[in-house]
Amino acid sequence: MDTSRCWTLCALLGAGCYVGVATDPGERAESDTGGHASTGGEDEGEPSCEAGVTELGPGAMARLTRLEYSHAVRDLFEIEVPLDELPDDELLGPFSANLDAPPSELELEAYMDQAEAIAAAVAEQPERVLDCAAEGIDEPDACADAFIEVLGRRAYRRPLSDAQRTQLRGLYELGVAQGGPSRGLELVTTAALESPHFLYHVEIGVELGVEPGTGPSEALRLDAFSLAARLSFFLWRSIPDDALLDAAEHGELDEPAGLEAQVERMLDDPRAARGSAAMYRQWMGLEGEFPDKSSESFPAYDPSLAPAMREGLGRFAAAIIHDDGGSMAGLLEDPRAFVDAPLASYYGVELPPDPAGDDGLHRVDLPGDERAGLLTRAGVMAMHGHFNQTAPVQRGRFVREALLCQPIPDPPPDVDDTPPALDPDLSVRERFAMHSSEAGCASCHTLMDPIGFAFEHYDGAGRYRTVDGNLAVDASGELTNTEDLDGSFYGAIELSERLSDSDQVRACFVRQYLRFALVRPLAAEDDCTLAALEEAFAASDDTVEALMLAVATSESFRLRRPRPLPEESN
Amino acid sequence: MSPRRFAPPHSRRSFLAALGLGAAAGALAPFVPLLEGEARPGSFPRRLVLFHTPNGTIFDEWRCAGTEHDWSLSPMLAPLASRKQDVIVLDGVDNVAIYSGPGAGHSGIGTLWTGTELQEGDMHDVPSGWANGISVDQLIANRLEGQTPFKSLELGVRVTNNATVRSRMSYTGPAEPLSIDSDPFNVFDRLFADAELDPLALAEQREARLGVIAGVEAELETLGGKLSGADQHKLEQHLDNLRAIEARIENSVGLDCAIPSMPAELALNDPNYAAIGALQMDLLTAAFACDLTRVASIMWCREAGGPVFSGFGHVDNAHWLSHRKEEPYMSQRRQIHTFYAEQFVALLDRLAAVPEGDGSMLDNTVVVWASAICESTAHGSRNIPVVLGGRCGGYFETGRYLRYGSFTGSPKHAEHGGRTNNDLLITLCHAMGQTDVETFGNPGYCTGPLL
């Protein structure tokens, strides 16, 4: 796999707008190359990938995201946590990932409040964790010991240490003195949910001890429990189940066959669909609040459509990946959708007679000449749409960043980036013409606008249209500065077809999956891992579950390189 | 934490209602708890408030006319008329670090209070990382640590969605943004709820919380010892913050001041934007009056965000409007900026209603009103609008209009010889008694205090 292409792109674009697909810009000081991320390693050309040596970029110990926290609580106790009562998430590209900020007092108090509320509910029904009566444990203190063991192992994703056991037992006794055994279990549960072993992705590893220059000298090889947690958070966005912890405890994850068997089992579990749905909602930018829409410009749009747009997109991705065993092309081209009645009407399709799924959504097929795959979903278009008009710049930038892995910088200061005023007699391209006529704008905008124009059949709120003002829609588009996609095309469906047969998009898919899986920015050191995964992905005809398996069983997935402390600037 | 003089829990008094009535303000005199050594008349703690409003201003209508002492308020600042003698308008301050390093425009909220460039990074729609240093409020809060139960309060009005550079403004260090509390009910609970609990229940809750916290602290210490670099540092910060919470719980036996009253409920949505802001300003004032903290900030919505001001009959959100130059949008922009000026005055009025010695809390406070950008249609970060309110213990001689440099307001804002926000940050440190601070943020942008 030729990974030198990105450096060619950097050079192509000159001063105004750099575009690279190399390291994530988050790498800055930690990266060996040190300087600007998109130029890192530009003289190196193709990486020399030696068998048996795995280089990798550094990563920080991340705190659970809102979604991970809520999934974990659901899997621990079958209790639902309101997401908006948990701390806001940081972002790693499009994905939620709490890598940098230490939890503030405010956030710690939010965790305390949640822990106390959850623990109170658990104390009322301790069988949510362990049914002592069914297990034949009658004596309250023995029940507490067993409760502590089971909860601790699940919540901390590894067996308790003696110190942890003693500490939780002490809290149980404090609670018993305050109000009896139920209060004791309440304090145990509270403490478990406030522990760093619950709140962080704690990864314990042993040093590899290789000589500098022959391998990742600071890398740690994860122990089996850390690997199990990485697997479950990658595939399920949640904690391991007992079966996975047992496999770790019995050494099964240390054997390739055992590891693969667990990954296969996990991909078949409904939690994998939940995890994939979350990933694609984030990747396609649908996790945030939908922007306000003008009711004058978009009378059919209603903010109440947003949840079905968001959930339906996740469900679509999960269905392609896990129900069909589908491919990247399926994600980008399949016209099926999952909708409720208002969203069906918005798409202009009939609801089928068969009942809805558990999420209240029905499977329908959207008109094949109007919609294809992820990019053409109403939700994706509405999210990447202005208040009262389409947003070719944002849509082009979204494709460039999400699927081509070519980040675009902010416009420079002092640029008037007011969207042009609406004019029913001017086409959107005429209104945005300044972007290509002014040299200062053109260097970036030629990378975005001609892709964004291809989405002109979807209005700013995601509805299909054939006229724009007084003019027929012209959705012709053009790709430039790509590895293998340059050329003109018409409309988002043809764009999606081209993207689904591109090495650059395949490489970007792999990159997005790897950073989602590792929860860290990728660095130049990760290039060999990426190249190997691209090969595996291509060899599977782009089957997404095959990529997930390849990522989960890769050597990088077992390794961790702690991030050094950044230098203080003050 | 130094010892505070705590009284038994007070019966709930309607402090804020009294503030609102104004005439009753005199009855509030004994509310400020005096610390050791501060009992003599005229000696009151100084306080700092960062007051951020998004999306710049309408620059041509913001610039005032006149000279330092003989000047008139501009149309955008007209609501300040009743407080003209209590403010200093600073014209010519550049939010300069955003011009180097990643990010631009609205992301300058990350450089505004830190004076540092942003780090490289990728926050999806914001191609940058966090600010690379501590913000001015946190440096001052660190210096004052231990004197009040809360080092600082970060309040927000509809600061929602992800934690990105545009939705944060305070930093405890490089890439260490502080979260913002946009829920006044939560703010109330943090500040005052314990004082409303039955003493027995409170004692039991305290015992349990302290027990849990002690266990978590032991876990953090053990785990931190096994980690290195940034991971270890993160757990140290976690531990420090937990210890601060622990200290508050240990000392929480009541407040020697009145507790504000809250409405039964208020939906946290755009239509209630002004009402949420009013509650946050009430709580901020009460927190100062009870000496729960001396450093606070209030962020009116994220940069590049904006509610729909439906109360004015707007149907478009404020950020979208901020990019329009034609009617009816210009008039709507004026309404929005006038609204924010009125909120600034409303905060000054609240502070002025709390008597301290012969004067009021406004005499001992500085409220810094700023936006990350200047003219909202152009995203320039030179000549950002800055207004200081209050005298901060006599440091500021107010009632002045100061203009630096030769900024013309043209769309291409070249260097104009203005002053940097770094110098403003140094000024704030000095005003708050931290006169040893010679540079703030990137030293290359520092020449010394403005005032």
Side-chain angles (χ1 to χ4, degrees):
Chain A
M1 193 80 219
D2 175 16
T3 52
S4 63
R5 62 180 178 272
C6 49
W7 317 129
T8 319
L9 284 176
C10 298
L12 261 178
L13 292 164
C17 203
Y18 55 86
V19 173
V21 289
T23 56
D24 282 336
E27 275 315 293
R28 52 196 182 264
E30 300 91 81
S31 164
D32 289 343
T33 50
H36 201 289
S38 64
T39 58
E42 61 194 323
D43 299 327
E44 294 167 14
E46 201 162 343
S48 56
C49 300
E50 265 179 69
V53 176
T54 303
E55 294 283 350
L56 71 161
M61 181 178 66
R63 192 160 35 88
L64 298 193
T65 63
R66 287 175 164 194
L67 204 66
E68 289 168 338
Y69 186 104
S70 71
H71 286 171
V73 168
R74 188 187 302 166
D75 293 345
L76 281 168
F77 309 118
E78 294 179 7
I79 289 174
E80 296 297 321
V81 179
L83 290 182
D84 60 4
E85 291 183 14
L86 293 165
D88 295 337
D89 291 325
E90 298 174 70
L91 294 172
L92 169 64
F95 303 120
S96 300
N98 294 315
L99 287 169
D100 283 323
S104 64
E105 290 179 43
L106 176 64
E107 289 168 329
L108 290 177
E109 288 177 13
Y111 285 134
M112 291 168 67
D113 288 346
Q114 285 307 317
E116 288 177 7
I118 295 162
V122 171
E124 282 186 15
Q125 294 176 290
E127 62 276 13
R128 287 177 184 276
V129 175
L130 181 68
D131 189 343
C132 282
E135 300 284 328
I137 309 172
D138 300 327
E139 200 271 318
D141 283 3
C143 177
D145 285 336
F147 180 98
I148 288 169
E149 220 58 47
V150 171
L151 175 62
R153 185 173 186 260
R154 287 180 190 156
Y156 299 174
R157 290 87 84 171
R158 65 176 60 244
L160 292 174
S161 69
D162 288 342
Q164 288 169 332
R165 194 175 289 119
T166 306
Q167 179 235 328
L168 292 174
R169 180 65 203 226
L171 282 171
Y172 170 72
E173 281 157 17
L174 172 63
V176 170
Q178 281 193 346
S182 172
R183 176 71 172 161
L185 297 182
E186 183 177 349
L187 295 193
V188 166
T189 307
T190 307
L193 295 177
E194 291 180 33
S195 166
H197 292 274
F198 177 71
L199 291 175
Y200 292 92
H201 293 290
V202 174
E203 295 181 325
I204 306 292
V206 292
E207 290 183 27
L208 291 179
V210 290
E211 291 299 312
T214 63
S217 52
E218 302 140 0
L220 304 173
R221 187 171 172 80
L222 301 187
D223 72 5
F225 289 106
S226 300
L227 177 61
R230 234 189 218 191
L231 286 172
S232 70
F233 280 102
F234 169 37
L235 300 173
W236 294 345
R237 285 290 126 181
S238 188
I239 54 173
D241 61 1
D242 287 345
L244 182 58
L245 291 172
D246 291 344
E249 191 156 358
H250 300 146
E252 291 169 29
L253 303 184
D254 301 323
E255 300 299 325
L259 175 60
E260 195 167 324
Q262 279 298 321
V263 175
E264 297 283 6
R265 179 185 74 85
M266 294 174 75
L267 286 170
D268 288 340
D269 187 283
R271 281 169 285 196
R274 185 180 69 179
S276 288
M279 179 184 179
Y280 281 79
R281 288 197 308 266
Q282 294 177 6
W283 192 353
M284 296 296 122
L286 296 195
E287 281 291 61
E289 274 181 38
F290 274 64
D292 298 317
K293 298 292 174 190
S294 158
S295 55
E296 190 184 340
S297 302
F298 309 119
Y301 179 81
D302 189 281
S304 65
L305 291 164
M309 288 179 171
R310 183 181 287 129
E311 296 305 317
L313 179 122
R315 177 86 186 280
F316 165 77
I320 296 288
I321 295 168
H322 300 295
D323 296 350
D324 288 14
S327 67
M328 184 173 87
L331 289 165
L332 289 168
E333 295 181 30
D334 195 289
R336 95 186 67 161
F338 293 86
V339 298
D340 60 6
L343 187 55
S345 158
Y346 197 70
Y347 274 123
V349 296
E350 299 280 326
L351 270 194
D354 43 306
D358 293 341
D359 52 8
L361 302 178
H362 299 261
R363 187 199 148 145
V364 295
D365 283 318
L366 302 179
D369 55 347
E370 295 181 6
R371 310 272 179 177
L374 289 166
L375 297 182
T376 63
R377 303 284 139 169
V380 175
M381 289 291 100
M383 189 59 94
H384 301 94
H386 282 307
F387 178 74
N388 65 353
Q389 56 180 301
T390 58
V393 180
Q394 279 77 355
R395 288 171 177 181
R397 177 174 171 177
F398 165 66
V399 171
R400 195 60 83 167
E401 297 189 339
L403 292 174
L404 302 176
C405 287
Q406 292 174 308
I408 308 271
D410 266 341
D414 305 332
V415 162
D416 184 345
D417 61 357
T418 301
L422 291 178
D423 182 336
D425 295 316
L426 284 181
S427 75
V428 65
R429 333 168 174 253
E430 287 167 321
R431 293 192 293 112
F432 281 88
M434 191 202 283
H435 286 170
S436 48
S437 60
E438 288 215 358
C441 307
S443 67
C444 286
H445 278 281
T446 53
L447 299 172
M448 300 184 283
D449 302 14
I451 301 177
F453 290 140
F455 292 95
E456 278 300 302
H457 275 298
Y458 313 100
D459 70 20
R463 270 202 130 189
Y464 190 80
R465 65 180 188 175
T466 52
V467 293
D468 173 18
N470 299 329
L471 304 168
V473 164
D474 172 5
S476 51
E478 187 182 6
L479 284 155
T480 56
N481 297 101
T482 66
E483 180 195 358
D484 58 355
L485 283 160
D486 285 5
S488 330
F489 57 92
Y490 186 86
I493 294 176
E494 191 182 339
L495 170 65
S496 294
E497 287 165 2
R498 287 183 172 225
L499 293 172
S500 66
D501 190 29
S502 153
D503 281 345
Q504 182 172 343
V505 177
R506 181 176 296 117
C508 186
F509 247 73
V510 169
R511 174 173 288 276
Q512 301 282 24
Y513 262 92
L514 191 62
R515 69 175 173 174
F516 182 79
L518 298 177
V519 196
R520 65 169 171 84
L522 302 183
E525 293 93 324
D526 296 303
D527 283 352
C528 289
T529 297
L530 287 166
L533 290 170
E534 284 164 35
E535 267 182 46
F537 190 33
S540 74
D541 290 330
D542 303 340
T543 306
V544 180
E545 283 194 340
L547 172 61
M548 295 172 82
L549 175 68
V551 168
T553 55
S554 69
E555 184 63 9
S556 267
F557 198 79
R558 274 217 91 132
L559 300 178
R560 160 161 215 274
R561 204 177 121 202
R563 188 157 86 178
L565 198 59
E567 285 171 34
E568 296 276 340
S569 71
N570 268 293
Chain B
M1 179 174 292
S2 67
R4 280 166 45 84
R5 297 193 329 191
F6 291 109
H10 254 272
S11 63
R12 181 170 164 143
R13 273 183 283 169
S14 188
F15 172 64
L16 293 165
L19 271 187
L21 291 171
L28 303 172
F31 288 173
V32 178
L34 302 178
L35 300 178
E36 303 278 337
E38 288 181 331
R40 58 185 194 283
S43 176
F44 290 89
R46 297 179 185 188
R47 292 99 168 178
L48 170 71
V49 183
L50 307 183
F51 189 96
H52 166 264
T53 62
N55 306 327
T57 187
I58 302 169
F59 180 71
D60 291 342
E61 301 179 22
W62 180 86
R63 167 163 277 174
C64 300
T67 58
E68 178 172 352
H69 296 285
D70 179 17
W71 60 289
S72 53
L73 288 162
S74 63
M76 286 299 98
L77 296 177
L80 276 56
S82 63
R83 291 280 164 206
K84 189 180 172 212
Q85 291 312 308
D86 297 318
V87 303
I88 303 172
V89 176
L90 297 177
D91 181 338
V93 175
D94 296 344
N95 179 11
V96 70
I98 196 65
Y99 285 88
S100 49
H106 293 289
S107 298
I109 185 61
T111 66
L112 176 59
W113 306 115
T114 64
T116 71
E117 282 78 9
L118 304 182
Q119 295 183 343
E120 298 279 353
D122 175 11
M123 298 187 189
H124 194 27
D125 58 343
V126 182
S128 74
W130 296 108
N132 198 33
I134 193 169
S135 57
V136 66
D137 55 323
Q138 292 308 305
L139 181 126
I140 292 167
N142 285 346
R143 299 287 188 91
L144 303 179
E145 185 167 12
Q147 300 193 26
T148 55
F150 292 85
K151 265 175 75 176
S152 63
L153 286 180
E154 288 69 45
L155 308 180
V157 186
R158 301 284 292 138
V159 181
T160 53
N161 261 342
N162 291 315
T164 75
V165 72
R166 292 177 183 179
S167 62
R168 295 292 180 265
M169 57 189 241
S170 292
Y171 290 78
T172 55
E176 290 175 6
L178 275 177
S179 51
I180 291 178
D181 198 342
S182 290
D183 179 351
F185 296 93
N186 194 55
V187 177
F188 177 88
D189 283 349
R190 294 185 77 209
L191 296 174
F192 303 113
D194 283 354
E196 298 195 313
L197 265 183
D198 158 63
L200 272 178
L202 182 64
E204 185 172 282
Q205 184 193 69
R206 287 179 57 209
E207 183 185 40
R209 283 184 176 165
L210 291 172
V212 169
I213 287 174
V216 175
E217 287 175 352
E219 291 258 72
L220 287 164
E221 283 169 355
T222 309
L223 180 58
K226 295 177 188 165
L227 300 174
S228 62
D231 299 337
Q232 192 175 54
H233 180 68
K234 189 184 286 180
L235 288 193
E236 285 165 3
Q237 305 283 99
H238 185 146
L239 186 57
D240 284 350
N241 291 336
L242 195 59
R243 287 193 172 129
I245 295 169
E246 184 180 33
R248 276 204 296 280
I249 295 171
E250 282 173 340
N251 294 321
S252 158
V253 286
L255 294 167
D256 190 13
C257 61
I259 296 170
S261 58
M262 295 287 285
E265 59 182 308
L266 181 72
L268 302 179
N269 56 21
D270 282 0
N272 288 327
Y273 191 67
I276 296 163
L279 279 180
Q280 297 286 50
M281 293 192 291
D282 287 344
L283 288 159
L284 188 159
T285 307
F288 279 178
C290 298
D291 206 27
L292 290 168
T293 191
R294 296 173 187 175
V295 175
S297 59
I298 181 162
M299 187 177 198
W300 290 82
C301 157
R302 58 167 34 220
E303 262 299 342
V308 177
F309 282 87
S310 49
F312 296 142
H314 298 186
V315 294
D316 305 299
N317 75 59
H319 177 236
W320 187 85
L321 286 174
S322 79
H323 284 279
R324 311 312 310 188
K325 294 171 182 165
E326 70 276 21
E327 289 298 336
Y329 307 121
M330 278 303 290
S331 299
Q332 296 180 356
R333 286 173 62 194
R334 289 186 189 102
Q335 287 178 307
I336 293 169
H337 291 299
T338 299
F339 167 82
Y340 285 131
E342 288 166 355
Q343 304 315 303
F344 176 67
V345 171
L347 179 56
L348 302 190
D349 286 348
R350 280 168 169 82
L351 298 172
V354 182
E356 287 190 344
D358 296 335
S360 75
M361 191 184 281
L362 186 58
D363 295 317
N364 299 309
T365 303
V366 58
V367 183
V368 193
W369 175 23
S371 190
I373 60 172
C374 175
E375 165 61 39
S376 64
T377 54
H379 277 181
S381 299
R382 298 198 190 280
N383 221 90
I384 55 171
V386 181
V387 184
L388 307 180
R391 280 165 286 280
C392 202
Y395 185 88
F396 292 112
E397 179 202 336
T398 53
R400 291 192 287 165
Y401 172 56
L402 294 167
R403 189 186 286 194
Y404 307 107
S406 56
F407 185 83
T408 61
S410 80
K412 299 291 179 194
H413 311 164
E415 296 282 349
H416 64 96
R419 297 292 294 270
T420 64
N421 61 312
N422 299 64
D423 286 345
L424 171 65
L425 303 179
I426 297 168
T427 311
L428 297 175
C429 291
H430 287 211
M432 288 296 289
Q434 311 306 317
T435 50
D436 61 312
V437 174
E438 292 176 355
T439 66
F440 200 100
N442 187 332
Y445 305 137
C446 301
T447 54
L450 295 170
L451 296 163

